[in-house]
């Protein structure tokens, strides 16, 4: 047995220099006379195999790569749009302030699908360009939405979680219990929705404030244009007409419209999460029936094991499907070449050697 201290002592003696004479006994120990049992590999062999085995690295988060990709592609997209617009200003209608700022403003308004109508193409060539620009812009909105905005909100979530963990209260009621979902290790979806909606309200307030001072609008029209812009409605009765206003809009519109889209995604996620929790509660509370026993008995041996019961409940909750189970079983079968129903250490050594 590997748990025998006599075996471990002999293994330790193999690594030490033989400076002392062996103890007197009827049988003299000789180097190399100790052999490993084939059915119980020694820890030294396991350590060597573990060092030689190459593991597939765990997939890393691609947030930083998506952000770099989004900024590079967005820069190229806006550069092409600005260049084409700047050399064709006569082919677009609208109030002109500065060629570069107007071009950037037109590109952002087009990509965000707002459509004020204050700048519009006139010739067939510029109309074709506008069509292509809108279609390509949808792809950038998706990249930015899944990358940059997600990264910003996750960073905000991590900061809140870190602050809560540093100042958490051990006894009594704590806001941490309401904010953090301990079981899932993340913020509760309701708080994430609240944060996203709070950012949207902040964007509307900033837009209304800037519009009041830069576009010379009253408070109602400023708030009206801010909401119509953030929600990408853009009736066209109000728009940015000054140079500072269009420069501000080029930055503010891109961020605000993405935050609104993210908030709607969180609202949808909250509804789905609520539905999943309701289903999980029903699955865990209901009594098991004979039909459930027959359905959960995958081995057809007349009883349900603990693993079969767990798999059956996970399938009822919709957390795992037949395809997932089939893929895991196929991987298990590759690691169990003898079809003995279990993965043994000799099987692993045979696969790695």
């Amino acid at each position: 047995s590997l748990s025998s201290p006599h075996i471990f002592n002999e293994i330790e003696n193999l690594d030490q220099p033989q400076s002392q004479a062996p103890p007197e006994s009827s049988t003299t120990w000789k180097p190399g006379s100790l052999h490993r049992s084939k059915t119980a590999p020694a820890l030294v062999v396991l350590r060597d195999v573990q060092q030689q085995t190459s593991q597939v690295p765990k997939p890393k988060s691609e947030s930083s790569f998506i952000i770099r990709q989004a900024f590079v592609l967005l820069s190229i997209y806006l550069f092409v749009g600005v260049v084409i617009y700047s050399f064709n200003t006569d082919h677009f209608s609208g109030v002109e302030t500065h060629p570069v700022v107007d071009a950037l403003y037109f590109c952002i308004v087009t990509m965000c699908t707002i459509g004020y109508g204050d700048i519009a193409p006139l010739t067939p060539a510029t109309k074709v360009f506008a069509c292509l620009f809108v279609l390509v812009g949808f792809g950038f909105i998706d990249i930015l939405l899944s990358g940059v905005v997600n990264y910003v909100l996750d960073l905000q979530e991590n900061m809140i979680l870190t602050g809560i963990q540093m100042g958490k209260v051990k006894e009594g009621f704590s806001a941490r219990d309401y904010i953090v979902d301990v079981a899932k290790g993340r913020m509760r979806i309701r708080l994430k929705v609240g944060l996203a909606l709070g950012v949207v309200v902040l964007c509307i307030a900033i837009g209304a404030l800037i519009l009041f001072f830069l576009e010379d609008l009253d408070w109602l029209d400023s708030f009206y244009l801010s909401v119509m812009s953030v929600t990408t409605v853009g009736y066209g009765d109000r728009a940015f007409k000054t140079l500072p206003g269009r420069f501000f809009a080029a930055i503010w519109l891109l961020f605000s419209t993405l935050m609104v889209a993210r908030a709607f995604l969180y609202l949808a996620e909250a509804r789905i999460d609520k539905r999943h929790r309701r289903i999980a509660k029903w699955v865990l509370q209901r009594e098991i029936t004979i039909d459930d026993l027959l359905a959960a008995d995958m081995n057809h041996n007349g009883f349900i094991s603990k693993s079969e019961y767990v798999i059956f409940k996970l399938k009822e909750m919709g957390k795992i499907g037949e395809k997932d189970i089939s893929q895991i079983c196929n991987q298990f079968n590759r690691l169990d070449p003898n079809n003995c129903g279990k993965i043994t250490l000799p099987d692993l050594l045979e696969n790695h050697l």
Side-chain angles (χ1 to χ4, degrees), residues 239-254:
F240 294 84
K241 298 179 180 180
T242 63
L243 176 61
R246 287 185 175 180
F247 182 78
F248 163 76
I251 302 173
W252 173 73
L253 288 175
L254 180 61

Side-chain angles (χ1 to χ4, degrees), residues 211-338:
L211 283 168
F212 177 79
F213 289 103
L214 295 183
E215 294 294 327
D216 195 20
L217 299 175
D218 57 23
W219 285 112
L220 180 59
D221 288 340
S222 299
F223 178 76
Y224 168 77
L225 179 56
S226 180
V227 173
M228 294 301 109
S229 302
V230 167
T231 55
T232 70
V233 176
Y235 288 126
D237 52 343
R238 293 287 186 273
F240 294 84
K241 298 179 180 180
T242 63
L243 176 61
R246 287 185 175 180
F247 182 78
F248 163 76
I251 302 173
W252 173 73
L253 288 175
L254 180 61
F255 179 78
S256 301
T257 52
L258 290 175
M259 293 307 303
V260 170
R262 192 65 190 179
F264 280 117
L265 289 179
Y266 277 150
L267 287 172
E269 182 182 350
R271 293 179 62 87
I272 295 174
D273 183 72
K274 182 179 180 181
R275 180 176 179 270
H276 286 172
R277 284 188 284 108
R278 185 171 64 251
I279 294 176
K281 183 178 179 180
W282 173 79
V283 169
L284 295 176
Q285 289 181 348
R286 77 180 190 88
E287 298 292 337
I288 189 170
T289 63
I290 298 178
D291 293 334
D292 296 333
L293 187 143
L294 297 177
D297 184 14
M298 295 184 295
N299 296 326
H300 304 289
N301 48 15
F303 62 89
I304 303 176
S305 63
K306 187 176 182 179
S307 59
E308 290 176 334
Y309 184 78
V310 170
I311 293 175
F312 176 72
K313 287 298 181 180
L314 289 176
K315 288 170 62 178
E316 267 196 322
M317 295 178 184
K319 297 182 181 295
I320 192 172
E322 291 290 345
K323 184 178 179 180
D324 302 321
I325 298 175
S326 177
Q327 291 176 347
I328 297 174
C329 291
N330 291 335
Q331 185 183 28
F332 183 89
N333 293 334
R334 290 194 299 269
L335 298 174
D336 181 24
N338 299 323

Side-chain angles (χ1 to χ4, degrees), residues 55-59:
Q55 292 288 343
V56 178
K58 183 180 179 180

Side-chain angles (χ1 to χ4, degrees), residues 100-169:
V100 178
V101 176
D102 290 346
L104 183 61
Y105 169 75
F106 172 77
C107 294
I108 295 297
V109 170
T110 303
M111 184 177 66
C112 296
T113 68
I114 298 176
Y116 290 125
D118 53 340
I119 299 179
L122 296 176
T123 63
T126 54
K127 290 181 180 180
V128 172
F129 159 73
C131 293
L132 296 176
F133 209 69
V134 171
L135 294 176
V136 176
F138 281 135
F140 289 109
I141 289 294
D142 179 69
I143 295 175
L144 291 171
L145 181 61
S146 61
V148 179
V149 179
N150 194 25
Y151 175 78
V152 172
L153 292 177
D154 289 344
L155 182 63
Q156 186 182 32
E157 177 183 348
N158 292 333
M159 292 175 61
I160 294 177
L161 290 175
T162 303
I164 291 174
Q165 292 176 357
M166 292 177 62
K168 62 183 179 180
V169 181

